[in-house]
Amino acid sequence: MEEKLLNVSSSPHVRDNSSTASIMRDVIIALIPTTLVGIWNFRFSAVVVILATCVTCVLAEYIWQKLMKQPITTGDCSALLTGLLLALNLPSTIPIWMCVLGGVFAIIIAKQLFGGLGQNFMNPALAGRCFLMLAFSSAMTSFTIKEGNPIWAGIAIDATSSATPLMQVKEGGLPDLMKMFLGTTTGTIGETSALAILIGAIYLLIRKVIDWKIPVAYIVTFVIFDLLYQTVAGGAPYPVFYELCGGGLLLGAFFMATDYVTSPITPKGKIIFGILLGLLTGLFRFFGESAEGVSFAIIIGNLCVPLIEKFTIPKAFGKEGKANE
């Protein structure tokens, strides 16, 4: 009688057609509405910033892997996505050499030095943005919006410099909420249009590229923090929609806090992570000097992920007399 052997591999036994490249492409597709609004707002200067960061990130990864004799992974689109996210978190007026410096920092320092994709402990795009914010705060907080000129008008077009809507809210003003929702305001290239960000977020949720737990926990926690702050601080309350539509909260919640590598993998961990981000963003926005705080909140949250997972990873069945939760 012929003996048949069954080869059983180690768990998990999950089959999925998704790949790194397909996931990265989906996120890039989801960012197209936000990118187009940014280009419409800031015209040719936004195109230059986007091209500079994307080309820099792809080249930096390729050159590093060539020098280190590592497999070339630029085809998985992760470096391209990092460049696009970095550009969307920058003002259109930033000098090109700073874009290049930020892209190199994001890829080499925040990603490759820690082993490449899957080994980085913080979101590379946000690491690049925070580096530029700390090193060149003046250039990173200079915002303009182009007025009345077509996209082909080039660099020499009219521009109006002003505080971002979020800074106006922090100083007691109430800017046009519809403009904030649609995106015809000042700010970084990718943070101005809440509508465009939400369109991309819906696409990612439908494609099941991201889970709802982190962004929902993040946004709900921040809203509760905002309402409590307004109640305790007193004064004339303003709709929380100003805080949601202004700044990078929506962009961060749906596109960067949900990064597979730097966010928790357990359901409980995702909820805790989202709550932590909401609390940190509230602290930075309402008690800090800046009107923002999303980037630093997510970076600090990334650092806490190992601790969160330590207490939320389910125990193996039977271990310490406990059933698998």
Side-chain angles (χ1 to χ4, degrees):
M1 181 177 178
E2 183 180 354
E3 183 180 357
K4 294 183 178 180
L5 299 178
L6 180 63
N7 184 18
V8 179
S9 62
S10 61
S11 60
H13 309 288
V14 178
R15 297 292 181 267
D16 193 285
N17 293 326
S18 299
S19 64
T20 300
S22 67
I23 292 171
M24 297 300 165
R25 284 195 297 267
D26 273 335
V27 180
I28 291 172
I29 291 171
L31 286 170
I32 288 176
T34 302
T35 304
L36 292 177
V37 172
I39 292 173
W40 175 256
N41 270 345
F42 306 108
R43 306 303 201 263
F44 187 71
S45 56
V47 176
V48 173
V49 170
I50 293 169
L51 288 177
T53 56
C54 289
V55 171
T56 297
C57 286
V58 173
L59 283 179
E61 182 157 294
Y62 178 83
I63 294 172
W64 174 269
Q65 291 175 337
K66 270 290 188 180
L67 293 175
M68 297 295 108
K69 301 186 185 312
Q70 298 173 351
I72 305 300
T73 60
T74 51
D76 65 13
C77 298
S78 62
L80 179 62
L81 176 59
T82 296
L84 180 57
L85 282 173
L86 176 59
L88 296 179
N89 279 278
L90 299 178
S92 63
T93 53
I94 189 170
I96 301 305
W97 67 269
M98 290 186 189
C99 297
V100 173
L101 188 60
V104 171
F105 185 92
I107 294 297
I108 304 300
I109 305 299
K111 182 180 178 183
Q112 293 300 330
L113 285 182
F114 291 92
L117 184 64
Q119 305 298 319
N120 50 288
F121 68 94
M122 67 175 66
N123 185 286
L126 285 183
R129 182 187 191 277
C130 290
F131 165 72
L132 293 175
M133 179 65 75
L134 293 173
F136 312 104
S137 59
S138 178
M140 288 290 290
T141 54
S142 175
F143 302 104
T144 63
I145 187 167
K146 314 305 180 187
E147 296 183 341
N149 289 280
I151 191 171
W152 55 84
I155 299 177
I157 56 180
D158 295 334
T160 300
S161 298
S162 65
T164 63
L166 201 59
M167 181 58 73
Q168 294 177 37
V169 172
K170 188 177 181 69
E171 294 173 350
L174 290 180
D176 191 321
L177 186 58
M178 183 57 67
K179 287 185 177 181
M180 294 174 67
F181 182 71
L182 296 177
T184 54
T185 61
T186 56
T188 66
I189 295 173
E191 74 179 17
T192 60
S193 176
L195 175 61
I197 295 170
L198 290 174
I199 290 173
I202 292 171
Y203 173 82
L204 292 180
L205 290 169
I206 291 175
R207 295 280 295 172
K208 298 183 179 179
V209 174
I210 63 173
D211 190 2
W212 61 268
K213 295 181 182 65
I214 291 176
V216 169
Y218 186 175
I219 294 170
V220 169
T221 301
F222 176 78
V223 168
I224 294 173
F225 191 108
D226 186 359
L227 295 176
L228 288 175
Y229 174 77
Q230 290 187 46
T231 301
V232 173
Y238 57 86
V240 71
F241 295 109
Y242 283 97
E243 291 286 346
L244 293 179
C245 293
L249 193 148
L250 293 180
L251 184 66
F254 288 105
F255 288 95
M256 287 172 284
T258 54
D259 177 28
Y260 285 10
V261 179
T262 58
S263 63
I265 61 174
T266 62
K268 289 181 181 178
K270 291 178 180 179
I271 297 295
I272 295 172
F273 183 65
I275 293 173
L276 175 63
L277 298 186
L279 293 174
L280 288 173
T281 302
L283 287 172
F284 287 137
R285 282 195 175 184
F286 301 128
F287 296 98
E289 293 296 326
S290 172
E292 251 303 343
V294 171
S295 297
F296 288 105
I298 296 177
I299 290 293
I300 294 173
N302 292 159
L303 298 176
C304 296
V305 167
L307 183 62
I308 294 173
E309 292 196 324
K310 179 180 179 181
F311 293 101
T312 58
I313 291 289
K315 294 183 180 299
F317 182 80
K319 185 177 181 180
E320 299 177 0
K322 297 180 180 179
N324 187 18
E325 298 177 359

